[in-house]
Amino acid sequence: MIAEQLSASFRDPSGFLFSRGGVLYRQVNRAYEQEYVRFMESGLYEKLVKAGLLIPHVEVEQAPAPERTSGLRESETVFKVIQPKRVLFISYPYEWSFGELKSAALATLAIQKRALKLGMSLKDASAYNIQFVRGKATLIDTLSFEIYKEGEPWVAYRQFCQHFLAPLALMALKDVRLSQLLRVYIDGVPLDLASEILPTKTRLNFGLLTHIHLHAGAQKKYSGEEVKSRSGSMSKQAMTGLIENLEATIQKLDWTPRGTEWGNYYDITNYSDAAFEHKKQLVGEWTKRLQPTLAWDLGANNGVFSRVVSSACPYVVSFDIDPAAVEQNYRQVKNDKTENLLPLLLDLTNPTPAIGWANRERDSFGARGPADMVLALAVIHHLAISNNVPLPQLADFFAETGKWLVIEFVPKPDSQVQKLLVSRKDIFPNYTREGFEAAFKARFTIREAVEIRESERVLYLMESH
Amino acid sequence: MHFAPLPYLDPGSGSFLIQLAIAALLGLGIAIRASWGTIKKWFGIESKPEEDEDDIEDIGKKIDKPIVSLPTKCPSCGAALRSSEVKWLDDVTAECGFCKSPVRASVEN
């Protein structure tokens, strides 16, 4: 069977990920043997897995992936092959809400603290090594640890500040939308840039002054200079102090949504309670009937309908364009300890692109699909009218995104549509129920079409063909 | 203003040096905290022994439950089993994380 090395996994000489027959494996190289054994035997692995901070794995008798880059023979490079538990949906830091990035940052520090106690240290503090597993920020790179040598500074400190502290500070203290800088800077927000954008008052905060402003200055001043061994060493106690200070600095950063873009959408729409309940009931019934394994709720707001789906579906990803709605959704996930719902930030009119080396390190939105079931409730008018996407193109997009589509048609007389048309010419003669059905029939078979009680809207269940 | 991008070289040196400076400052605080118990003792105040947050749970389990041990490998699929990772269906039956088949544990009192 063909083994394929994953394109996101090439930097670390300790090993890499590959997939064979649809199963994901991680090869541990001989170069990492000592660290791996120490990691497993020190009890750190078990401790982290138990705390839900690390993805569990089993060691397997799988043939290793053929080495493409080094000319060494297998026995010289391969130590072990492990099979990590599969993550149901891979998400990226620029898709996370403030709270999600903060949870990921705190999880990284919690791991580093536990590692130090057992004589190990994180050699990477990349936000991409954290994924949400059963609702919790979890480290997925088992090979991130090295043996801690007393006196040495934390090698991942710069990366931690760029991937976590800088974007969190920018989001909390300047503008929450600055998380999108992570989409441009794959190795985290450059500290000199963060230092320039952050308000001057952040220099009065000890943590931000040192870890961002002075850190940026030191980077500039000492760039390219060799650090001499006599320039000082760092005791374990000092290292713990540093980690705890980062922790306290991040704990203090906060962002609370002041009402979402849609405000209290559910209170102000032309939904009566009966219409809302009817919609919920239909979504619930259809989910139970279809038994999807993976569902995507596009335009999920704070996740009301995602929650209906999640009661009968193993995993639901709940996307919305509004950072406040995603944040509210994540807070609810945390509060309810929901394990199968992941709120993410997504602009449907400009979905997450593929980024990184050769544009293959981080997948685009579409490449992580298709889903079994896609929900598009009360979004069609935004795409067709606000964004001027013709209906046939919308049908194409949804057909590529999932097998089953639950879509709500919002007709023109609806007040929400009228609001979008208020300041512009109505150039959408085809935006009618008939036009909508005709366009979607080119890509889908309409299985159900139910008029929602006490409203002019129609809910469809469609199967792509 | 500086419009030049950061140098091509890994700017690790500055990150190392600033860490040393911050850590030196903070280490002092930690040292005081670490010896806080001793300082309090000088003043005749008893302090509780420090407990590791992870281990509290373990101690509880050891006291009120009989020792249940799982086979090291799943009899159906051969995947390694760790009692802390598997899902327990009842007190003596666990579910293999990989093939989902139930595995009986042996019980010693």
Side-chain angles (χ1 to χ4, degrees):
Chain A
M1 221 181 285
I2 299 161
E4 197 184 336
Q5 181 166 349
L6 264 68
S7 54
S9 174
F10 59 83
R11 278 200 185 88
D12 192 356
S14 313
F16 57 87
L17 283 168
F18 65 96
S19 81
R20 182 183 279 139
V23 183
L24 193 68
Y25 300 101
R26 193 181 282 278
Q27 178 170 315
V28 184
N29 286 340
R30 184 105 8 232
Y32 192 70
E33 176 177 351
Q34 208 191 347
E35 285 87 353
Y36 180 80
V37 170
R38 174 76 173 269
F39 175 59
M40 297 306 290
E41 287 178 359
S42 63
L44 182 56
Y45 168 81
E46 211 165 335
K47 200 170 178 158
L48 293 177
V49 166
K50 203 170 132 193
L53 288 166
L54 177 75
I55 196 94
H57 72 253
V58 285
E59 292 175 7
V60 288
E61 302 293 327
Q62 264 285 335
E67 187 67 62
R68 291 196 309 189
T69 44
S70 83
L72 297 169
R73 268 176 289 136
E74 227 174 57
S75 57
E76 289 171 77
T77 53
V78 188
F79 171 58
K80 264 192 170 94
V81 175
I82 62 174
Q83 182 187 348
K85 204 168 167 180
R86 190 130 206 177
V87 179
L88 294 170
F89 187 85
I90 297 286
S91 61
Y92 301 122
Y94 38 84
E95 298 172 323
W96 297 343
S97 71
F98 176 83
E100 286 172 308
L101 186 60
K102 185 169 167 176
S103 296
L106 293 173
T108 305
L109 294 173
I111 293 165
Q112 174 68 351
K113 268 166 78 177
R114 284 167 169 79
L116 280 174
K117 276 191 194 163
L118 293 169
M120 300 204 82
S121 176
L122 278 175
K123 62 181 161 101
D124 294 302
S126 163
Y128 296 92
N129 282 347
I130 301 285
Q131 289 298 328
F132 287 86
V133 179
R134 302 175 73 172
K136 281 190 73 180
T138 307
L139 179 71
I140 55 159
D141 184 5
T142 317
L143 313 185
S144 282
F145 297 88
E146 62 180 9
I147 293 167
Y148 170 67
K149 290 189 203 82
E150 178 104 29
E152 280 189 6
W154 188 23
V155 286
Y157 173 67
R158 177 186 63 89
Q159 203 178 27
F160 183 85
C161 293
Q162 292 184 180
H163 281 233
F164 295 108
L165 184 60
L168 284 170
L170 289 168
M171 289 165 88
L173 301 165
K174 190 75 195 178
D175 194 307
V176 75
R177 291 168 295 184
L178 287 166
S179 65
Q180 294 310 299
L181 282 174
L182 292 169
R183 196 158 132 173
V184 181
Y185 298 103
I186 198 169
D187 197 25
V189 180
L191 297 180
D192 62 325
L193 179 61
S195 173
E196 226 168 280
I197 304 174
L198 279 172
T200 322
K201 63 167 194 209
T202 56
R203 289 177 182 269
L204 301 175
N205 172 318
F206 177 80
L208 298 177
L209 172 71
T210 51
H211 302 301
I212 294 185
H213 297 293
L214 296 179
H215 190 174
Q219 279 184 339
K220 198 172 164 227
K221 185 160 184 222
Y222 299 103
S223 66
E225 275 183 37
E226 199 185 336
V227 183
K228 296 188 184 74
S229 52
R230 61 181 152 79
S231 58
S233 81
M234 192 165 164
S235 69
K236 194 168 178 174
Q237 217 167 53
M239 168 88 96
T240 312
L242 180 83
I243 305 301
E244 287 182 353
N245 186 260
L246 283 168
E247 209 170 26
T249 308
I250 286 174
Q251 283 287 9
K252 269 185 247 151
L253 293 173
D254 191 31
W255 180 73
T256 300
R258 282 194 215 106
T260 75
E261 187 181 335
W262 313 120
N264 303 313
Y265 188 75
Y266 295 123
D267 300 335
I268 55 156
T269 52
N270 30 12
Y271 278 123
S272 65
D273 283 350
F276 197 67
E277 285 309 315
H278 189 204
K279 206 162 125 181
K280 269 185 165 174
Q281 179 207 329
L282 289 169
V283 169
E285 272 170 21
W286 293 347
T287 310
K288 279 196 196 91
R289 196 199 305 168
L290 300 173
Q291 304 252 323
T293 317
L294 175 67
W296 288 359
D297 185 356
L298 307 178
N301 200 309
N302 57 12
V304 176
F305 291 96
S306 302
R307 282 184 175 75
V308 174
V309 175
S310 75
S311 63
C313 173
Y315 209 71
V316 184
V317 191
S318 189
F319 297 95
D320 201 88
I321 190 175
D322 179 3
V326 182
E327 179 69 21
Q328 283 184 352
N329 196 348
Y330 177 63
R331 286 184 186 195
Q332 203 177 335
V333 164
K334 245 171 68 171
N335 202 35
D336 302 345
K337 296 194 163 59
T338 312
E339 296 189 346
N340 63 339
L341 202 162
L342 178 64
L344 293 177
L345 195 70
L346 179 79
D347 177 357
L348 269 179
T349 65
N350 178 22
T352 311
I355 64 165
W357 174 246
N359 291 117
R360 281 157 117 183
E361 265 186 87
R362 314 292 166 214
D363 285 338
S364 68
F365 164 72
R368 284 171 281 167
D372 301 314
M373 184 168 115
V374 170
L375 258 71
L377 304 175
V379 290
I380 187 94
H381 52 303
H382 292 290
L383 301 174
I385 294 179
S386 308
N387 201 46
N388 290 22
V389 182
L391 290 168
Q393 287 193 32
L394 281 173
D396 288 343
F397 172 78
F398 285 116
E400 279 153 27
T401 310
K403 181 173 165 40
W404 291 91
L405 175 65
V406 176
I407 189 164
E408 181 181 20
F409 182 71
V410 187
K412 243 184 226 171
D414 191 290
S415 69
Q416 293 296 319
V417 180
Q418 282 306 312
K419 218 186 256 176
L420 300 177
L421 285 169
V422 77
S423 56
R424 57 183 299 183
K425 204 173 142 199
D426 183 355
I427 49 159
F428 311 99
N430 295 330
Y431 191 82
T432 58
R433 185 170 169 181
E434 294 69 38
F436 168 78
E437 286 184 7
F440 275 70
K441 270 181 185 160
R443 298 300 305 264
F444 291 92
T445 309
I446 297 176
R447 298 288 182 204
E448 303 263 0
V450 184
E451 282 168 21
I452 300 170
R453 259 176 238 146
E454 293 184 21
S455 87
E456 291 172 90
R457 303 179 170 199
V458 188
L459 197 64
Y460 291 88
L461 175 65
M462 303 186 183
E463 185 180 4
S464 72
H465 54 235
Chain B
M1 291 295 268
H2 49 90
F3 294 102
L6 277 177
Y8 158 79
L9 287 169
D10 173 25
S13 307
S15 296
F16 269 32
L17 293 169
I18 190 84
Q19 253 188 100
L20 294 174
I22 301 168
L25 275 169
L26 293 168
L28 200 72
I30 295 267
I32 297 170
R33 213 173 55 194
S35 45
W36 194 238
T38 327
I39 298 168
K40 279 211 278 194
K41 243 183 218 162
W42 290 340
F43 294 97
I45 308 162
E46 278 296 313
S47 55
K48 284 183 212 148
E50 208 182 298
E51 280 175 304
D52 189 317
E53 70 266 51
D54 289 345
D55 301 332
I56 299 169
E57 229 184 315
D58 295 327
I59 301 163
K61 272 186 200 149
K62 273 171 206 148
I63 298 167
D64 40 54
K65 278 193 183 164
I67 300 159
V68 178
S69 51
L70 270 181
T72 52
K73 284 195 171 148
C74 169
S76 317
C77 74
L81 297 172
R82 279 196 182 79
S83 56
S84 55
E85 289 163 26
V86 293
K87 187 174 147 198
W88 288 90
L89 302 172
D90 59 39
D91 285 350
V92 290
T93 319
E95 185 185 275
C96 169
F98 281 84
C99 70
K100 306 284 175 213
S101 55
V103 183
R104 287 286 286 189
S106 57
V107 185
E108 299 155 43
N109 277 307

